[in-house]
């Protein structure tokens, strides 16, 4: 394969791998717009030795592009062997801020972790299942909701306290949980978004879609409706906003290859990523300005950087 074609093939492989996983949860709570946290994976490509860098980063408030983001967590692997940084977790996904913006909960592989917003004081949480993921804070900041692998090949939705005690299932065979400022949990089952109380009761259908995030006031939901013309699995499609009761559905933009939308704390912007696209933010009010926050690109020799899973800090 020619070098150019090889790089294109690598780019597609990266994007497909990212999109094939479960969509991360996000919880956006009201406040002023703080930093945008995101996940980034990179590789040196054909250069020897092969150095992979994986981590959690944050672009400061007002940043147009994360050329020099804050490093919150970073692990370097040389020829697949940890060689630098903090490799407590060798993969990172699905960051989500606490209501006061002082902490993040993040998927570090098979387990979840809580970390201060400046990257200090990483604490791994006890495993509930063989693969815990997609965490999001409760509005009280003392509990989280998350998904956990089950024996049926799907995930269940759990709630747990952060100060100890076991986790409990609130919805079986569900994913993408996220907790609103009005104390409701949205989740996905069979390609549809539902909402329920924190005990999993009073369940209500919202609309079809995946990857939900609540607006800061808890009255609306942003989500992805996967594009039917895509030939791969994943939570990629068009962004829609809907009222919590299921009415007022409207599309945001026309791009059919977007994923992982996250509301800004002031409710006026959305952050998102997409198929082979950087992390961006788009203004919802006034002129629809779109700005790049973190890059996704292919370099010479097959090297790459892929940024995704934005989460917005309230402050």
């Amino acid at each position: 394969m020619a070098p150019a074609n090889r790089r294109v093939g690598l780019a597609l492989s990266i994007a497909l791998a990212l999109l094939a996983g479960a969509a991360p949860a996000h919880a956006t709570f009201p406040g002023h717009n703080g930093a945008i946290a995101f996940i980034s994976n990179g590789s040196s490509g054909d250069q020897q030795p092969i150095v992979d860098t994986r981590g959690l980063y944050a672009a400061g408030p007002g940043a147009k592009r994360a050329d020099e983001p804050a490093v919150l967590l970073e692990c370097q692997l040389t020829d697949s062997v940890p060689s630098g940084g903090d490799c407590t977790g060798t993969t990172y996904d699905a960051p989500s801020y606490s209501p006061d913006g002082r902490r993040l909960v993040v998927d570090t592989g098979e387990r979840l972790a809580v970390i201060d917003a400046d990257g200090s004081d990483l604490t791994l949480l006890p495993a509930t299942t063989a693969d815990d993921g997609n965490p999001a804070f409760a509005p009280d900041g003392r509990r989280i909701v998350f998904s956990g692998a089950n024996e049926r090949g799907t995930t269940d939705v759990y709630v747990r306290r952060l100060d100890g005690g076991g986790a409990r299932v609130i919805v079986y065979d569900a994913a993408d949980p996220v907790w609103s400022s009005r104390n409701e949990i949205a989740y996905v089952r069979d390609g549809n978004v539902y909402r329920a109380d924190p005990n999993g009761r009073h369940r209500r259908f919202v609309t079809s879609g995946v990857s939900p995030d609540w607006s800061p006031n808890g009255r609306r939901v942003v989500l992805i409706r996967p594009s039917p013309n895509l030939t791969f699995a994943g939570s990629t499609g068009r962004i829609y906003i809907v009222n919590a009761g299921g009415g007022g559905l409207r599309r945001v933009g026309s791009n059919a290859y977007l994923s992982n939308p996250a509301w800004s704390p002031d409710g006026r912007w959305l952050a998102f990523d997409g198929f082979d696209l950087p992390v961006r933010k788009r203004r919802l009010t006034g002129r629809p300005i779109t700005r790049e926050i973190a890059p996704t690109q292919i370099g010479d020799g097959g090297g790459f950087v892929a940024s995704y899973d934005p989460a917005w800090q309230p402050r």
Side-chain angles (χ1 to χ4, degrees), residues 15-40:
L16 291 174
L18 296 177
L19 293 169
H26 297 290
T28 300
F29 295 101
H32 297 293
N33 294 347
I36 296 176
F38 60 92
I39 303 296
S40 186

Side-chain angles (χ1 to χ4, degrees), residues 192-211:
N192 296 310
V193 176
Y194 297 84
R195 59 190 177 97
D197 69 19
N199 293 309
R201 299 174 303 199
H202 308 296
R203 301 174 188 179
R204 299 289 187 271
F205 171 77
V206 178
T207 190
S208 62
V210 298
S211 195

Side-chain angles (χ1 to χ4, degrees), residues 39-303:
I39 303 296
S40 186
N41 293 337
S43 175
S44 61
D46 294 341
Q47 299 178 21
Q48 297 296 326
I50 297 175
V51 179
D52 296 319
T53 303
R54 305 167 183 176
L56 171 66
Y57 306 87
K64 294 183 179 180
R65 182 185 177 96
D67 290 322
E68 295 183 4
V71 178
L72 306 184
L73 285 172
E74 187 173 75
C75 174
Q76 292 183 344
L77 299 97
T78 301
D79 292 334
S80 301
V81 178
S83 57
D86 184 345
C87 293
T88 302
T90 54
T91 62
Y92 300 105
D93 288 292
S96 189
Y97 279 100
S98 62
D100 61 9
R102 296 179 180 179
R103 294 182 295 169
L104 285 146
V105 62
V106 62
D107 183 350
T108 62
E110 296 178 351
R111 294 171 64 181
L112 305 177
V114 177
I115 185 172
D116 288 351
D118 64 0
S120 63
D121 197 19
L122 174 70
T123 302
L124 286 175
L125 300 179
T128 297
T129 72
D131 189 8
D132 298 344
N134 300 326
F137 272 96
D140 61 16
R142 297 191 296 268
R143 294 170 292 169
I144 60 170
V145 63
F146 64 97
S147 63
N150 58 36
E151 297 178 351
R152 301 177 297 280
T154 63
T155 59
D156 301 323
V157 171
Y158 290 80
V159 168
R160 73 176 304 159
R161 295 184 63 87
L162 292 177
D163 59 1
R168 57 189 176 87
V169 179
I170 63 166
V171 185
Y172 290 99
D173 297 313
D176 300 1
V178 62
W179 215 319
S180 82
S181 61
R182 297 172 66 86
N183 206 31
E184 285 191 298
I185 291 174
Y187 61 91
V188 173
R189 175 187 278 171
D190 296 329
N192 296 310
V193 176
Y194 297 84
R195 59 190 177 97
D197 69 19
N199 293 309
R201 299 174 303 199
H202 308 296
R203 301 174 188 179
R204 299 289 187 271
F205 171 77
V206 178
T207 190
S208 62
V210 298
S211 195
D213 181 36
W214 289 100
S215 64
N217 63 11
R219 297 182 184 277
R220 293 184 294 169
V221 177
V222 64
L223 52 89
I224 294 291
R225 283 192 166 179
S227 300
N229 59 322
L230 297 181
T231 58
F232 52 85
S235 55
T236 301
R238 290 186 169 88
I239 295 177
Y240 286 82
I241 292 174
V242 65
N243 295 334
L249 181 72
R250 69 179 181 91
R251 193 177 71 192
V252 178
S254 59
N255 194 316
Y257 301 95
L258 303 179
S259 52
N260 302 325
W263 229 298
S264 67
D266 69 1
R268 298 178 180 178
W269 294 77
L270 290 177
F272 53 90
D273 57 56
F275 180 80
D276 231 5
L277 296 175
V279 173
R280 293 174 174 168
K281 65 178 183 180
R282 175 190 172 100
R283 191 167 67 182
L284 295 173
T285 59
R287 189 161 58 94
I289 298 172
T290 301
R291 294 175 178 168
E292 181 175 329
I293 299 301
T296 289
Q297 59 193 28
I298 306 301
D300 295 334

